[in-house]
Amino acid sequence: MSSSGSSSRPSGRQADENRVVSIEPGFARHAEGSVLIRVGGTEVLCAASIENRVPPFLRGQGQGWITAEYGMLPRATHTRGNREAAKGKQSGRTQEIQRLIGRALRACVDLRALGEMTITLDCDVLNADGGTRCAAITGAWVALAIALDKQIKAGVLKRSPLRAQVAAVSCGLTDAGPVLDLDYIEDSSAQADTNFVLTSEGGIVEIQGTAEDAPFSESEFNALMALAKLGTARLFDAQRAALDSAIHGKAA
C-alpha cells in the first residue's frame, strides 16, 4: 500500500499512503441509505433521503435530481464553532462544499433513469481532521447506492441509474514533498492543497487546487494527480466492500 523507507510526515505515513478508511452502512436507521465514513480522525455521517417530487425547474421533464446538504457539529473541530442555524445563514464554505457534493453525485447518475424523484444527501461532520468534503463525497456515494438499490428491489426503478463510482481525496505539497490524503496538521501547513473528485471510469469531476505560497509547477501537479488516482482506487475498493456488506450481507 505504501512505498518503502522512512517517512517525514507527521502521521508516519508514506507519501502515497491513505489514512485508514472504514465505511459502516446503516448508521442512520430511518434513512433510505446511510453510512458512517471514517477517514483517519475524520468522521462523517452520510444519509440519503428520497422524495417523490422534483424542484420546480424540473417538473414535467421526466428526470430526477440529486442534491446535498453539509454541516459540522459545533465540536467537530478543536474549538467550538457556532451552529449556522443560530446565525440564521450558512457560511460561504458550507454552501460551496454542499454544491460540490451535489455536483459530484449527479456526475455519476443518469438523472432520466432516476425518474421524477429527488434524493438529498445529508453529510454531517462528527469529527474533523482534514478532508471532510472528500470523505463526505466518498461516503455519500455509498449511501446513494444503497438507497437506489432499495428502490430497485421495491420495483420503483427498473434499473440502477448509477453510471460509475465517485470518490474524492486530497493531496498536497508539504515539507515531505507531494503527499496523499492530508490530515489537519498537514493541510494547515501545506504549500499547496488540492482536492480531486474522480470516477471509477477514469473521469474527472472536479479538481480544486490552491497554492498557499509560491505557485506550483505542472510537474508537481502531475505528481499530485498520480497520487489522487492511486488514493481513489483504494477508496473505490472500500466503497464496493461497504456496498456488498449493505446489500448482500458480505463482510466489509
Side-chain angles (χ1 to χ4, degrees):
M1 180 174 176
S2 61
S3 57
S4 59
S6 61
S7 171
S8 58
R9 301 182 71 177
S11 63
R13 288 182 289 136
Q14 300 299 319
D16 62 352
E17 188 175 354
N18 292 67
R19 289 179 287 178
V20 175
V21 176
S22 70
I23 305 175
E24 179 184 345
F27 197 83
R29 68 186 66 179
H30 300 297
E32 282 81 358
S34 71
V35 301
L36 177 64
I37 182 169
R38 297 180 176 94
V39 183
T42 289
E43 297 179 321
V44 185
L45 173 59
C46 305
S49 300
I50 297 177
E51 298 174 281
N52 292 316
R53 61 184 181 86
V54 293
F57 69 90
L58 284 177
R59 287 176 188 163
Q61 296 189 29
Q63 71 175 67
W65 187 245
I66 296 174
T67 187
E69 293 191 11
Y70 168 95
M72 297 181 70
L73 293 184
R75 278 317 301 264
T77 52
H78 294 89
T79 57
R80 185 184 188 277
N82 292 326
R83 294 183 189 273
E84 293 186 339
K87 298 178 181 178
K89 64 176 182 179
Q90 291 179 315
S91 69
R93 176 183 181 274
T94 294
Q95 294 181 53
E96 183 258 324
I97 291 175
Q98 61 191 27
R99 288 169 183 161
L100 169 65
I101 298 168
R103 287 195 301 271
L105 296 175
R106 289 193 296 273
C108 67
V109 173
D110 180 349
L111 294 176
R112 290 211 165 272
L114 190 62
E116 291 201 357
M117 69 172 66
T118 296
I119 304 180
T120 301
L121 278 301
D122 288 295
C123 300
D124 292 289
V125 179
L126 310 184
N127 287 293
D129 187 25
T132 61
R133 72 186 66 196
C134 294
I137 290 168
T138 303
W141 182 88
V142 183
L144 173 63
I146 293 170
L148 290 174
D149 179 73
K150 289 181 179 178
Q151 295 299 295
I152 294 169
K153 289 176 178 176
V156 176
L157 295 176
K158 294 181 179 179
R159 63 177 179 86
S160 175
L162 286 174
R163 297 188 293 205
Q165 292 172 250
V166 65
V169 72
S170 65
C171 299
L173 298 175
T174 70
D175 291 339
V179 297
L180 172 66
D181 198 6
L182 305 179
D183 55 29
Y184 175 77
I185 293 176
E186 290 178 314
D187 183 54
S188 61
S189 61
Q191 289 96 51
D193 177 24
T194 56
N195 296 303
F196 292 85
V197 185
L198 308 177
T199 75
S200 56
E201 304 299 314
I204 297 170
V205 176
E206 190 152 340
I207 299 173
Q208 300 175 329
T210 304
E212 300 295 341
D213 187 12
F216 55 95
S217 67
E218 183 176 348
S219 63
E220 288 172 323
F221 171 80
N222 290 336
L224 296 174
M225 182 72 181
L227 287 172
K229 289 180 178 179
L230 185 65
T232 51
R234 295 169 183 149
L235 294 174
F236 294 139
D237 288 341
Q239 287 176 328
R240 285 189 288 268
L243 195 56
D244 279 344
S245 174
I247 294 175
H248 305 299
K250 297 180 181 179

